[in-house]
């Protein structure tokens, strides 16, 4: 009754992407991705994850009707650097039918076993970035912020009944930047720290993006902790590919680089919550999408802070706090009302403390699962 089919052609990839519309047709919180962007991602255009190893797509059919999907693959670069035999799953979707979900999991697990993999983790980002990462397990009462995961609550049961266990929880923090901040206090702290420790905060220069990416890479090479099992510093090519995905949504005043004596010491990236626009486009840019895009873009009232790194030499010197303050200062000038900081690993205590000190509240949790196979 259930048939699992491997997806290979561009036309099949389109069906893979469009399946979401059936799964979420009654869900008022779901935000349709821009179909053309998702198709390009799955075809491997500027996709850092697919550059690093073999992957495959599968769809489940019940009585001839598409009812589920999954992406499975191996990040060979990560496995080699960390001495692992891990595989991943991503972009899992299924109707509320355990047999369908388990059939997809079985197919992914068998595909990985055939390639010598002993552990499967996921859901992970389909680009090895911070987009669609983890399964939503807390905070189902609202639409996701830009590029965050969203799924029905019954997915949690599918994963746990199949034998997946928690590998890592990722937190999202919410802050009303109009009412929850004491900007005068944080400005004093920031100005004092910048003077005492001799650093400054610059907005990114998108006209010199290649050199800015080089500075970001220098920071990541030094700042990314060795004990982060699932991440290694990206190559310049991977960073450039990721930048190619994000730059069309970038706001120069929401991407910051901290420097001391001309050398990069930290950076932070935030993007406007374009999900507020995507929800109005229903996944399609044409024929009226560009007009809707321009109209609703002006009404975006929040942003998501994706990533923040500081090199070890400048930690505990308020560099993180200074960048957060600069985000809020710039955002208020542009009329933003709220911010989300996500996704922050539960074990990243320094970052959690920084954002909690400013007054943000943990309101959503995304979980990456693992299973020995």
């Amino acid at each position: 009754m259930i048939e699992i089919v491997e997806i290979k052609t561009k036309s099949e990839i389109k069906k893979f992407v469009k399946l979401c519309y059936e799964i979420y047709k009654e869900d008022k919180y779901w935000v349709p991705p821009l179909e053309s962007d998702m198709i390009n991602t799955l075809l491997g255009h500027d996709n850092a994850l697919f550059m690093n190893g073999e992957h495959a797509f599968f769809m489940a059919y019940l009585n001839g009707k598409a009812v589920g999907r999954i992406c499975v693959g191996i990040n060979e670069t990560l496995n080699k650097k960390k001495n692992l035999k891990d595989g991943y799953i991503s972009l899992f979707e299924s109707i509320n039918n355990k047999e369908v979900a388990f059939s997809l999991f079985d197919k992914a697990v068998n595909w990985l076993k055939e390639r010598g993999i002993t552990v499967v983790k996921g859901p992970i980002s389909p680009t090895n970035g911070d987009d669609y990462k983890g399964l939503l397990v807390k905070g189902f009462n609202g639409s996701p912020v830009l590029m965050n995961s969203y799924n029905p609550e019954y997915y949690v049961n599918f994963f746990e009944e199949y034998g997946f266990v928690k590998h890592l929880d990722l937190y999202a923090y919410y802050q009303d930047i109009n009412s929850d901040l004491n900007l005068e206090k944080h400005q004093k702290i920031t100005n004092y720290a910048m003077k005492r420790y001799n650093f400054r905060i610059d907005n990114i220069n998108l006209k010199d993006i290649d050199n800015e990416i080089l500075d970001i890479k220098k920071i990541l090479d030094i700042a990314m902790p060795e004990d982060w099992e699932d991440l290694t510093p990206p190559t310049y090519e991977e960073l450039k590919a990721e930048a190619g995905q994000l730059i069309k949504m970038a706001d120069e005043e929401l991407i910051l680089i901290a420097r001391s004596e001309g050398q990069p010491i930290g950076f932070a990236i935030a993007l406007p919550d374009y999900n507020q626009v995507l929800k109005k486009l229903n996944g399609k840019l044409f024929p009226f999408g560009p007009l809707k895009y321009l109209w609703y873009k002006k009404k975006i009232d929040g942003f998501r802070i994706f990533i923040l790194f500081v090199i070890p030499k400048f930690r505990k010197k308020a560099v993180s706090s200074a960048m957060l303050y600069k985000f809020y200062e710039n955002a208020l000038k542009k009329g933003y009302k709220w911010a989300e900081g996500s996704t922050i690993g539960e074990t990243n205590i320094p970052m959690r403390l920084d954002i909690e000190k400013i007054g943000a509240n943990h309101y959503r949790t995304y979980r990456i699962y693992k299973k020995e196979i």
Side-chain angles (χ1 to χ4, degrees), residues 62-257:
L62 180 62
N63 298 326
K65 181 180 179 181
V67 290
R69 73 181 196 191
I70 200 166
C71 171
V72 58
I74 305 166
N75 187 335
E76 299 282 8
T77 303
L78 178 66
N79 281 352
K80 185 176 180 180
K81 288 182 178 178
K82 299 289 186 176
N83 194 28
L84 301 171
K85 289 188 176 180
D86 286 1
Y88 64 80
I89 56 172
S90 182
L91 298 172
F92 168 82
E93 303 284 1
S94 174
I95 63 169
N96 194 359
N97 181 314
K98 187 166 72 172
E99 291 183 9
V100 170
F102 280 20
S103 295
L104 286 164
F105 291 151
D106 284 344
K107 188 67 179 180
V109 164
N110 290 333
W111 187 92
L112 291 169
K113 280 182 175 180
E114 290 170 1
R115 288 155 179 80
I117 297 302
T118 58
V119 176
V120 56
K121 293 176 181 174
I124 69 156
S125 161
T127 66
N128 205 32
D130 212 35
D131 50 328
Y132 309 110
K133 184 178 181 181
L135 194 76
L136 180 65
V137 297
K138 172 191 172 183
F140 294 91
N141 58 339
S143 292
V145 178
L146 180 67
M147 292 194 291
N148 261 330
S149 297
Y150 180 77
N151 51 264
E153 200 164 355
Y154 63 79
Y155 282 17
V156 178
N157 292 332
F158 286 165
F159 273 76
E160 295 181 358
E161 289 181 25
Y162 190 76
F164 283 98
V165 297
K166 186 180 89 167
H167 172 57
L168 178 70
D169 276 354
L170 307 168
Y171 294 166
Y173 287 84
Y174 177 88
Q175 184 155 43
D176 181 333
I177 62 174
N178 280 296
S179 61
D180 291 348
L181 288 174
N182 183 341
L183 277 184
E184 185 176 345
K185 172 187 173 183
H186 292 295
Q187 183 182 39
K188 289 179 180 178
I189 294 171
T190 296
N191 290 342
Y192 171 79
M194 291 172 69
K195 184 176 181 180
R196 178 176 179 182
Y197 299 115
N198 188 28
F199 69 89
R200 70 178 195 269
I201 308 293
D202 299 326
N203 298 335
I204 197 169
N205 181 0
L206 294 178
K207 294 178 182 178
D208 190 25
I209 190 63
D210 288 345
N211 283 322
E212 299 287 56
I213 291 172
L214 285 172
D215 276 356
I216 288 172
K217 175 162 174 52
K218 289 177 185 176
I219 296 163
L220 286 171
D221 286 344
I222 300 171
M224 189 171 286
E226 285 287 335
D227 59 354
W228 282 15
E229 182 179 328
D230 300 315
L231 287 173
T232 58
T235 64
Y236 176 78
E237 290 72 21
E238 289 170 337
L239 277 176
K240 197 164 184 179
E242 187 72 12
Q245 293 287 325
L246 298 180
I247 200 167
K248 55 196 168 187
M249 295 181 288
D251 180 331
E252 283 188 323
E253 294 185 80
L254 294 179
I255 302 178
L256 309 174
I257 300 180

Side-chain angles (χ1 to χ4, degrees), residues 267-284:
F267 78 97
I269 297 174
L271 292 172
D273 180 25
Y274 278 93
N275 268 10
Q276 296 176 39
V277 179
L278 293 177
K279 201 164 186 179
K280 306 294 184 181
L281 299 183
N282 201 33
K284 299 186 184 299

Side-chain angles (χ1 to χ4, degrees), residues 272-282 284-285 288-302 334 336:
D273 180 25
Y274 278 93
N275 268 10
Q276 296 176 39
V277 179
L278 293 177
K279 201 164 186 179
K280 306 294 184 181
L281 299 183
N282 201 33
K284 299 186 184 299
L285 197 54
F288 302 113
L291 294 176
K292 289 182 178 180
Y293 173 86
L294 292 172
W295 174 254
Y296 288 108
K297 178 183 177 182
K298 300 174 185 177
K299 298 179 179 292
I300 295 174
D301 62 355
K334 300 172 82 72
Y336 291 106

